[in-house]
Amino acid sequence: MTTTPPIGEILGADTPMNWGRWGPDDEVGSLNYLTNAEVLKGVRAVKSGKTFTLMVHMGNPTGDPVWPGRRGSEKLMVIDEGTFRGDKAPQFPGGLHYADDFVTAFLQGSTQYDALGHVWYDGEIYNGYDAATTIGGLSKASILPIAEKGIVGRGVLIDMARYRGKEYLEKGETFDHRDLEAAAQAQGVSIEPRSILLIRTGFIEYFYTVPQSEFYDGFNEPGLTYSRALVEWFRDMEIPNLITDTIANEVTYEPETGCALPLHCALMRNLGVTFTEICMLDKLAADCAEDGQWDFLYTAAPLKVVNGTGSPVNPIAIK
Amino acid sequence: MTTTPPIGEILGADTPMNWGRWGPDDEVGSLNYLTNAEVLKGVRAVKSGKTFTLMVHMGNPTGDPVWPGRRGSEKLMVIDEGTFRGDKAPQFPGGLHYADDFVTAFLQGSTQYDALGHVWYDGEIYNGYDAATTIGGLSKASILPIAEKGIVGRGVLIDMARYRGKEYLEKGETFDHRDLEAAAQAQGVSIEPRSILLIRTGFIEYFYTVPQSEFYDGFNEPGLTYSRALVEWFRDMEIPNLITDTIANEVTYEPETGCALPLHCALMRNLGVTFTEICMLDKLAADCAEDGQWDFLYTAAPLKVVNGTGSPVNPIAIK
Amino acid sequence: MTTTPPIGEILGADTPMNWGRWGPDDEVGSLNYLTNAEVLKGVRAVKSGKTFTLMVHMGNPTGDPVWPGRRGSEKLMVIDEGTFRGDKAPQFPGGLHYADDFVTAFLQGSTQYDALGHVWYDGEIYNGYDAATTIGGLSKASILPIAEKGIVGRGVLIDMARYRGKEYLEKGETFDHRDLEAAAQAQGVSIEPRSILLIRTGFIEYFYTVPQSEFYDGFNEPGLTYSRALVEWFRDMEIPNLITDTIANEVTYEPETGCALPLHCALMRNLGVTFTEICMLDKLAADCAEDGQWDFLYTAAPLKVVNGTGSPVNPIAIK
Amino acid sequence: MTTTPPIGEILGADTPMNWGRWGPDDEVGSLNYLTNAEVLKGVRAVKSGKTFTLMVHMGNPTGDPVWPGRRGSEKLMVIDEGTFRGDKAPQFPGGLHYADDFVTAFLQGSTQYDALGHVWYDGEIYNGYDAATTIGGLSKASILPIAEKGIVGRGVLIDMARYRGKEYLEKGETFDHRDLEAAAQAQGVSIEPRSILLIRTGFIEYFYTVPQSEFYDGFNEPGLTYSRALVEWFRDMEIPNLITDTIANEVTYEPETGCALPLHCALMRNLGVTFTEICMLDKLAADCAEDGQWDFLYTAAPLKVVNGTGSPVNPIAIK
């Protein structure tokens, strides 16, 4: 491979931008598209009341799917019934017993929302804030304003694995907006402007079926791949939120240039599209395939972590 | 005060119980009331699409409201723009920069769902599981099955502080189901069977307006207080989920016996009512007072922490 | 293998015991042998002033040697020069900059002293304290009294790897007190009563030379192996402290019965011999082999962790 | 107070420097003075074999003395006898039980050694390394080389509190090298070139006798105060290590300029004097006052934390 050019050069000076579109103080980007009208559109998608939660297990003793270099969370008991067999348990009038626990966790070490300030290039994060505002915690475009807003709207699930007749897409396998449109058509659903976009690749399910050494070997997740047309499609469709069952929502290395994660830059940093990663979409996808209803009310709210780069989350789909 | 009798004696052998009602393997208790029909009832409560998120800030540098003895979460940067000014930042092809952070946290140290196995007496947790199943992590009735299910239904907010003409209820101030009914009537809303019950006391708002030494001095939160009739009301109303803006959802010390947290036992352990604590209800309450609509679609999903005693959460109310 | 009998049965009811020898409140066991006279004996061993520190690296990015199931420590920066490139760094009059960091760690996840209450069987820890005193933290025989005392005396190094002509002993390879005596004789040094005993197997050096998967595959460390005679030797020699370059100071599975770690019970719990594990003895051993001096002043002091089961430590040998 | 000038200006361009004195790659500074000869001098100070450990308790449930903004360590049990009353405890052949624990800690949140790269000004740390080398962990002048070396030599204790007839020095109270010399003379001991210098103020003892609110109110520790003559005295005396029973080894705010911690810069950054803070010197001082012997063999070794800014430590004095 020849040397990868800088991301800014790959995307080009005229790459689509939403900076300033919602004012100089905006920190939630394309989530601004989720107006009350979009909430009501999501509500109208509900037919049966079936609900699905989309988080993976957190703190699984056998290991959680995380980006290389991060660790899964460590959970420790502070108090449990064993504590009351000793002499150091708290004593309350009436004699209540209780259990308490404590965790250490990477904020991006499980199913999670990224703050818009999570990635950047050329010294500026989303909306043109100085990258130095990330130092010591995100003063700007942190997860907090996203958590304050909450994400509610019409979600639509595109099952790329099922569309391609696979249990899961292969390492490095790519697709783009035209594939999404084709899959949607095959599913009989339409991706509408301002839809919350969920894409299933099966890759997180693959994590749970193979030894972790196999999962991480030659790490290169399948996923969406960069093209100018794809970025324009996201801009024109006003997609507020991209949700996948991979760790990083896009093919890890863009095949043509070798660039790592250019869509994080083109979509999140430049257009303000919020990313939601490491979801588990198996049950939702199976149900949609069965009843033919691929859209739903989507609700999610990351934790209100002050200055956070992201937050674990357990999104809900209501059909 | 005379010596407090054991909780089991206070509640009595014939206290209302839901153990076994949903089978011997049930772990979500009264959340079973939230059937698809209840989800649809919640959806029908949506009128305008206004949304409110109900979590407090987490990791606030000036301190978070926590039960005495717990600490607020500690958040640390792993990587930020400062890291890239040195020589140890990760290098990706294309030159992406990013921010990453790490927290330590009590799972019950912010707005949070309790697992049904969080409190107990007489050696048994909800549904009769042995209290020893809590040892080393909750094998039974942990937060995981609640997180798998998700909580969706019709929520109704009772604003006890506003009803009593106060900014916040005082330390040790109590109320019961009759007060809730009276306040509901005054608000022009009805608590219906299977409603998700949210109660505002203003006490968490009080936390943010006074020095912490004042907040914790003579710690005795205001809240619901135990009576047999109140427990029967929760059973008969089939309340699935009790949500308040206090740290422990009930008056800390029941005034008559001095017993600590008897409703945790009577409602959570015995009836399987899920508790959600430390919510911030100020904006939702202000809006309800303004437009007169006190019910809404309530959605929440704690994190899928394996064997967890509880989990931070950011609930959403959609009006 | 036939089923392993319980440890108490393997050791026998008449196994050597030091309980009560230093009174009913003793918590430091055989360290009591280290009187001022022994300190002076250690001091007299100093010849040249050469010093060696015996800890392994802690928080090595490529991983630390730990007992399976533990993790190496996670170190995070709180403040560094990068922080001062942003706007959230602390500002002091005069403009001092500084660096600060934070760790999570298993107290026994690096070179470490074990508290005497670290292991037990039959419901009692060292000196007959109830095992329930370990619950929620060691109320008895914690690392604190050992840390208060400090360990100072004459140390003697036995290089079993060198004695057997190997770079490191093999997995499951054993030796006993007769081998120690023979090696000492070959080295020209004597293990005297009350000597602090250091044994080099080369096994921690092996950790750093092979992939971790190889190190942990079929995990069975080389080391001392149980026999009644060996336990009596430790008792009669009044060994205060056993120090090795393995994770657990003895062969993991005693070959005859398959019992895990019986010497932790026979020596630590019953005789009160303090264990120091995961040391790095390569440089000290090389120097001793070169100058023929195998004894020295040994000083070490674990951290004064209240109720701790153990503590990281960096022992010093002064020749 | 008028505005404090920058530290570099206060110290002046001609302030004493040891940069380069031990080569361009040196990372242990004045500890280089501790040659084998100095070790032997320390050994010769031993008379009786009495030993004293100098660390404060770590993880005290009532709180540890820490610099404002840091927290004491949080200790959690991973396994204890309570765990074995449940079904999730590890099972070993033979049935051994054990206890295991886990901590979170600021590396400088207890008795501790500072790395020489811990503080700086004007963009350079000790020996002229770029301050950017601190980013993401200290690549240069970390605690690791100090821990590799270990600190062994002749220690001398100066009891300033006793000299001034006080239980503890008052907030903001200062003293300098002439006071040290006068106190030494009064004690009948001499501070010799290359002595390891321990100073008792009683201030950490004060921490344990008053409410923490009183200790931290108007935080301004007593201690050594800056003057050019004092810095020259440290340089000329070739003091390798300064140890006190305060959190920061010097008066917090230099009275004349208001500058915070100028000696950290003048002594640590410029001369490479290692700082050891938050020691407990009460028992050692009482014994020295009783037997009149104020010098001893001092040994200490911080933990070998890779890239660490400092490390907890439990020093030993052997008389």
Side-chain angles (χ1 to χ4, degrees):
Chain A
M1 186 196 308
T2 56
T3 304
T4 303
I7 286 181
E9 202 171 293
I10 291 171
L11 303 187
D14 58 346
T15 190
M17 304 290 288
N18 279 333
W19 293 8
R21 183 174 194 139
W22 298 282
D25 296 329
D26 180 61
E27 302 184 287
V28 301
S30 293
L31 292 180
N32 283 294
Y33 293 130
L34 293 177
T35 60
N36 291 2
E38 297 304 318
V39 171
L40 294 176
K41 189 183 286 184
V43 167
R44 282 194 299 271
V46 179
K47 307 290 184 239
S48 60
K50 288 188 282 190
T51 63
F52 300 86
T53 58
L54 307 182
M55 191 185 194
V56 298
H57 286 196
M58 184 174 177
N60 199 315
T62 57
D64 296 343
V66 292
W67 184 260
R70 293 195 189 120
R71 299 185 185 192
S73 84
E74 180 88 19
K75 193 177 87 69
L76 298 151
M77 295 310 288
V78 178
I79 294 173
D80 59 29
E81 175 65 9
T83 316
F84 291 91
R85 311 282 172 96
D87 60 2
K88 284 180 288 292
Q91 302 299 324
F92 291 115
L96 176 96
H97 285 197
Y98 70 102
D100 206 12
D101 44 19
F102 181 93
V103 289
T104 66
F106 281 80
L107 280 176
Q108 311 213 359
S110 187
T111 306
Q112 125 271 149
Y113 266 78
D114 283 349
L116 290 184
H118 170 49
V119 296
W120 64 92
Y121 63 93
D122 287 354
E124 289 177 310
I125 63 170
Y126 169 72
N127 217 22
Y129 299 117
D130 190 321
T133 58
T134 66
I135 294 176
L138 274 55
S139 313
K140 296 292 180 183
S142 79
I143 198 63
L144 184 57
I146 291 177
E148 292 282 11
K149 177 171 175 54
I151 298 93
V152 183
R154 176 193 182 250
V156 57
L157 173 64
I158 304 301
D159 191 338
M160 286 305 300
R162 195 169 254 107
Y163 176 64
R164 290 192 173 168
K166 297 177 170 186
E167 289 195 46
Y168 45 83
L169 300 193
E170 287 156 47
K171 285 178 184 172
E173 183 172 349
T174 62
F175 52 91
D176 68 9
H177 56 296
R178 291 163 305 182
D179 299 298
L180 294 175
E181 297 275 23
Q185 188 169 19
Q187 291 175 191
V189 70
S190 69
I191 305 171
E192 296 172 14
R194 306 195 171 186
S195 288
I196 294 168
L197 181 59
L198 295 87
I199 303 173
R200 177 175 173 268
T201 66
F203 204 66
I204 285 296
E205 297 160 51
Y206 168 69
F207 172 86
Y208 290 102
T209 59
V210 296
Q212 291 181 27
S213 53
E214 179 180 332
F215 180 79
Y216 286 108
D217 183 52
F219 187 76
N220 189 13
E221 293 195 300
L224 283 170
T225 192
Y226 171 76
S227 69
R228 170 63 62 95
L230 177 132
V231 178
E232 290 170 351
W233 182 86
F234 268 85
R235 180 196 59 194
D236 297 343
M237 291 294 287
E238 301 187 341
I239 301 294
N241 191 181
L242 173 66
I243 297 152
T244 79
D245 62 346
T246 64
I247 297 175
N249 267 10
E250 62 178 305
V251 66
T252 308
Y253 299 102
E254 196 273 314
E256 212 166 310
T257 61
C259 182
L261 308 176
L263 290 180
H264 272 71
C265 297
L267 300 183
M268 182 193 298
R269 173 188 181 270
N270 293 347
L271 294 182
V273 177
T274 297
F275 277 30
T276 311
E277 298 164 332
I278 318 182
C279 282
M280 177 56 84
L281 301 172
D282 57 343
K283 289 197 185 66
L284 175 63
D287 186 81
C288 294
E290 194 177 323
D291 72 4
Q293 182 192 343
W294 295 89
D295 64 349
F296 37 80
L297 173 62
Y298 174 93
T299 80
L303 306 177
K304 293 185 181 175
V305 182
V306 177
N307 293 342
T309 70
S311 161
V313 72
N314 187 5
I316 304 176
I318 309 169
K319 292 181 59 175
Chain B
M1 186 198 307
T2 57
T3 305
T4 304
I7 286 182
E9 203 171 290
I10 291 170
L11 303 186
D14 59 344
T15 190
M17 303 289 289
N18 278 334
W19 293 7
R21 184 173 191 141
W22 298 282
D25 296 330
D26 180 61
E27 302 183 286
V28 300
S30 292
L31 291 181
N32 283 294
Y33 293 130
L34 293 178
T35 58
N36 291 2
E38 297 304 320
V39 171
L40 294 177
K41 189 183 288 185
V43 166
R44 283 193 299 269
V46 179
K47 307 290 183 237
S48 61
K50 287 187 283 189
T51 63
F52 299 87
T53 58
L54 307 181
M55 192 184 195
V56 297
H57 287 195
M58 185 173 178
N60 198 313
T62 58
D64 296 344
V66 292
W67 184 259
R70 293 193 189 122
R71 297 186 187 192
S73 85
E74 181 89 19
K75 193 177 86 71
L76 298 151
M77 294 312 287
V78 179
I79 293 172
D80 59 28
E81 175 65 9
T83 316
F84 291 91
R85 311 283 171 96
D87 60 1
K88 287 181 284 295
Q91 302 299 327
F92 292 115
L96 177 95
H97 285 197
Y98 70 101
D100 206 12
D101 44 20
F102 180 92
V103 289
T104 67
F106 281 81
L107 280 176
Q108 311 213 358
S110 188
T111 306
Q112 124 271 149
Y113 266 79
D114 283 350
L116 289 185
H118 170 49
V119 296
W120 63 92
Y121 63 94
D122 288 354
E124 289 177 311
I125 64 170
Y126 169 72
N127 219 21
Y129 299 116
D130 191 322
T133 56
T134 66
I135 295 176
L138 274 56
S139 313
K140 296 291 181 183
S142 79
I143 198 64
L144 183 57
I146 290 176
E148 292 281 12
K149 177 171 175 55
I151 298 93
V152 182
R154 175 190 182 254
V156 58
L157 172 64
I158 304 301
D159 191 337
M160 286 305 299
R162 196 169 255 106
Y163 175 63
R164 291 191 173 169
K166 298 176 169 186
E167 288 195 46
Y168 44 84
L169 300 192
E170 288 156 46
K171 285 178 183 173
E173 183 173 349
T174 62
F175 52 89
D176 69 8
H177 57 295
R178 290 164 306 184
D179 299 299
L180 294 176
E181 296 276 21
Q185 192 168 16
Q187 292 175 192
V189 71
S190 69
I191 306 171
E192 295 173 13
R194 307 195 170 187
S195 287
I196 294 168
L197 182 58
L198 295 87
I199 303 173
R200 177 174 173 268
T201 67
F203 204 66
I204 285 297
E205 296 160 51
Y206 169 68
F207 172 87
Y208 291 102
T209 59
V210 295
Q212 291 183 27
S213 53
E214 179 181 331
F215 180 80
Y216 285 109
D217 183 54
F219 187 77
N220 189 15
E221 293 196 300
L224 283 170
T225 191
Y226 170 76
S227 69
R228 171 64 61 97
L230 177 131
V231 179
E232 289 171 351
W233 183 85
F234 268 86
R235 180 197 58 195
D236 297 343
M237 290 294 287
E238 302 187 340
I239 300 295
N241 192 181
L242 173 65
I243 296 151
T244 79
D245 62 347
T246 64
I247 297 175
N249 266 10
E250 60 178 305
V251 65
T252 309
Y253 300 102
E254 195 275 313
E256 213 167 309
T257 60
C259 183
L261 308 177
L263 291 180
H264 272 71
C265 296
L267 301 184
M268 184 194 296
R269 173 189 180 268
N270 293 347
L271 293 183
V273 177
T274 298
F275 277 29
T276 311
E277 297 163 333
I278 318 181
C279 283
M280 177 55 85
L281 301 172
D282 56 344
K283 289 197 185 68
L284 175 63
D287 186 81
C288 294
E290 193 177 324
D291 72 5
Q293 182 192 343
W294 294 90
D295 65 348
F296 36 80
L297 174 62
Y298 174 94
T299 79
L303 306 178
K304 293 185 180 174
V305 182
V306 177
N307 294 342
T309 70
S311 161
V313 71
N314 187 6
I316 303 177
I318 309 170
K319 291 181 59 175
Chain C
M1 186 197 305
T2 56
T3 305
T4 304
I7 286 181
E9 204 172 289
I10 292 170
L11 303 185
D14 59 346
T15 190
M17 303 290 288
N18 277 335
W19 293 8
R21 184 174 193 138
W22 297 282
D25 296 329
D26 179 61
E27 302 183 285
V28 302
S30 293
L31 291 181
N32 283 294
Y33 293 130
L34 292 178
T35 60
N36 290 1
E38 297 303 320
V39 171
L40 293 175
K41 188 182 289 184
V43 166
R44 284 193 299 270
V46 178
K47 306 292 183 238
S48 60
K50 287 187 283 190
T51 63
F52 299 87
T53 58
L54 308 181
M55 192 184 195
V56 297
H57 287 194
M58 185 172 177
N60 199 313
T62 57
D64 295 343
V66 292
W67 184 260
R70 291 193 191 122
R71 299 185 186 193
S73 84
E74 180 88 20
K75 193 176 86 69
L76 298 152
M77 296 310 287
V78 178
I79 294 173
D80 59 29
E81 174 65 9
T83 316
F84 291 92
R85 313 282 171 97
D87 59 2
K88 286 180 287 291
Q91 301 300 325
F92 292 116
L96 176 96
H97 285 198
Y98 70 102
D100 206 11
D101 45 18
F102 181 93
V103 288
T104 66
F106 281 81
L107 280 176
Q108 311 213 358
S110 187
T111 306
Q112 125 270 150
Y113 266 78
D114 283 350
L116 289 184
H118 170 49
V119 296
W120 64 91
Y121 62 93
D122 287 355
E124 289 177 311
I125 64 171
Y126 168 73
N127 218 21
Y129 299 117
D130 190 322
T133 57
T134 66
I135 295 177
L138 273 57
S139 314
K140 297 290 181 183
S142 79
I143 198 65
L144 183 57
I146 291 176
E148 292 281 13
K149 178 172 174 53
I151 298 92
V152 183
R154 174 191 184 253
V156 57
L157 173 64
I158 304 302
D159 191 337
M160 286 304 301
R162 195 169 255 105
Y163 176 64
R164 292 194 171 166
K166 298 178 168 183
E167 289 195 45
Y168 44 83
L169 300 193
E170 288 156 45
K171 285 179 184 172
E173 183 172 348
T174 63
F175 52 89
D176 69 9
H177 57 297
R178 292 165 304 184
D179 299 300
L180 294 175
E181 297 275 23
Q185 192 168 17
Q187 292 175 192
V189 72
S190 70
I191 305 171
E192 296 173 13
R194 306 195 171 186
S195 287
I196 294 168
L197 182 57
L198 295 88
I199 304 172
R200 177 174 173 268
T201 66
F203 204 65
I204 285 297
E205 297 160 51
Y206 168 68
F207 172 86
Y208 291 102
T209 59
V210 296
Q212 292 184 26
S213 53
E214 179 181 331
F215 180 80
Y216 285 109
D217 183 53
F219 187 77
N220 189 14
E221 293 195 302
L224 284 170
T225 190
Y226 171 76
S227 69
R228 171 64 62 98
L230 177 132
V231 177
E232 289 170 352
W233 182 87
F234 268 85
R235 180 196 58 193
D236 298 343
M237 291 295 286
E238 301 186 342
I239 301 295
N241 192 180
L242 173 64
I243 297 151
T244 79
D245 62 346
T246 63
I247 297 174
N249 266 9
E250 61 178 304
V251 66
T252 309
Y253 299 101
E254 195 274 315
E256 213 166 308
T257 61
C259 182
L261 308 177
L263 291 180
H264 271 71
C265 296
L267 301 183
M268 183 194 298
R269 172 188 181 270
N270 292 347
L271 294 182
V273 177
T274 298
F275 277 30
T276 312
E277 298 164 332
I278 317 182
C279 281
M280 176 55 85
L281 301 171
D282 57 344
K283 290 196 184 66
L284 175 63
D287 186 80
C288 295
E290 193 176 324
D291 72 5
Q293 182 192 343
W294 294 89
D295 64 349
F296 37 80
L297 174 62
Y298 174 94
T299 79
L303 306 179
K304 293 186 179 174
V305 182
V306 177
N307 294 340
T309 70
S311 160
V313 72
N314 186 7
I316 304 176
I318 309 170
K319 294 181 58 175
Chain D
M1 186 196 308
T2 56
T3 303
T4 305
I7 286 182
E9 203 171 292
I10 292 171
L11 303 186
D14 58 345
T15 190
M17 304 289 289
N18 279 334
W19 294 8
R21 184 173 192 139
W22 298 283
D25 296 328
D26 179 60
E27 302 183 286
V28 301
S30 293
L31 292 180
N32 283 295
Y33 293 129
L34 294 177
T35 59
N36 291 1
E38 297 303 320
V39 171
L40 293 176
K41 188 183 290 185
V43 166
R44 284 194 299 271
V46 178
K47 306 291 183 238
S48 61
K50 287 187 284 190
T51 63
F52 299 87
T53 58
L54 308 181
M55 191 185 195
V56 298
H57 286 196
M58 185 174 177
N60 199 314
T62 57
D64 296 345
V66 291
W67 184 260
R70 292 192 189 123
R71 299 184 185 193
S73 85
E74 179 89 18
K75 193 177 87 70
L76 298 151
M77 296 309 289
V78 178
I79 293 173
D80 59 29
E81 174 66 9
T83 317
F84 291 91
R85 311 284 171 95
D87 60 2
K88 285 180 286 293
Q91 301 300 324
F92 291 116
L96 175 96
H97 285 198
Y98 71 101
D100 207 11
D101 44 20
F102 180 93
V103 289
T104 66
F106 280 81
L107 280 175
Q108 310 214 359
S110 188
T111 306
Q112 124 270 150
Y113 266 78
D114 283 349
L116 289 184
H118 170 50
V119 296
W120 64 92
Y121 63 93
D122 287 354
E124 289 177 311
I125 64 170
Y126 169 72
N127 219 20
Y129 299 117
D130 190 321
T133 57
T134 67
I135 295 176
L138 273 56
S139 314
K140 296 292 181 183
S142 79
I143 198 63
L144 184 57
I146 291 176
E148 293 282 11
K149 177 172 175 54
I151 297 93
V152 183
R154 174 190 183 254
V156 58
L157 173 64
I158 305 302
D159 191 337
M160 286 304 301
R162 195 169 256 105
Y163 175 64
R164 292 193 171 166
K166 298 177 170 185
E167 289 195 46
Y168 44 84
L169 300 192
E170 287 156 48
K171 287 180 183 171
E173 184 173 347
T174 62
F175 52 90
D176 69 8
H177 57 296
R178 292 163 304 181
D179 300 298
L180 295 175
E181 297 275 22
Q185 191 168 17
Q187 292 174 190
V189 71
S190 70
I191 305 171
E192 296 172 15
R194 305 195 172 186
S195 288
I196 294 168
L197 181 58
L198 295 86
I199 304 173
R200 176 175 173 268
T201 67
F203 205 65
I204 285 296
E205 297 160 50
Y206 167 68
F207 172 86
Y208 290 103
T209 59
V210 295
Q212 291 182 27
S213 53
E214 179 180 331
F215 180 80
Y216 286 109
D217 183 52
F219 187 77
N220 189 15
E221 294 195 300
L224 284 170
T225 191
Y226 171 76
S227 69
R228 170 63 63 97
L230 178 131
V231 178
E232 289 170 353
W233 183 87
F234 268 86
R235 179 197 58 194
D236 296 343
M237 290 294 286
E238 302 186 342
I239 302 295
N241 192 181
L242 173 65
I243 297 152
T244 80
D245 61 347
T246 63
I247 297 175
N249 267 10
E250 61 177 305
V251 65
T252 309
Y253 299 101
E254 197 273 313
E256 214 167 308
T257 60
C259 183
L261 307 177
L263 291 180
H264 270 71
C265 296
L267 301 184
M268 183 193 298
R269 172 188 181 269
N270 292 347
L271 293 183
V273 177
T274 297
F275 278 29
T276 312
E277 298 165 330
I278 319 182
C279 282
M280 177 55 86
L281 301 172
D282 57 344
K283 291 197 184 67
L284 176 62
D287 186 80
C288 294
E290 194 177 323
D291 72 5
Q293 182 191 344
W294 293 90
D295 64 348
F296 37 80
L297 174 62
Y298 174 93
T299 79
L303 306 178
K304 293 186 180 173
V305 182
V306 177
N307 293 344
T309 68
S311 160
V313 72
N314 185 6
I316 304 177
I318 309 171
K319 292 181 61 176

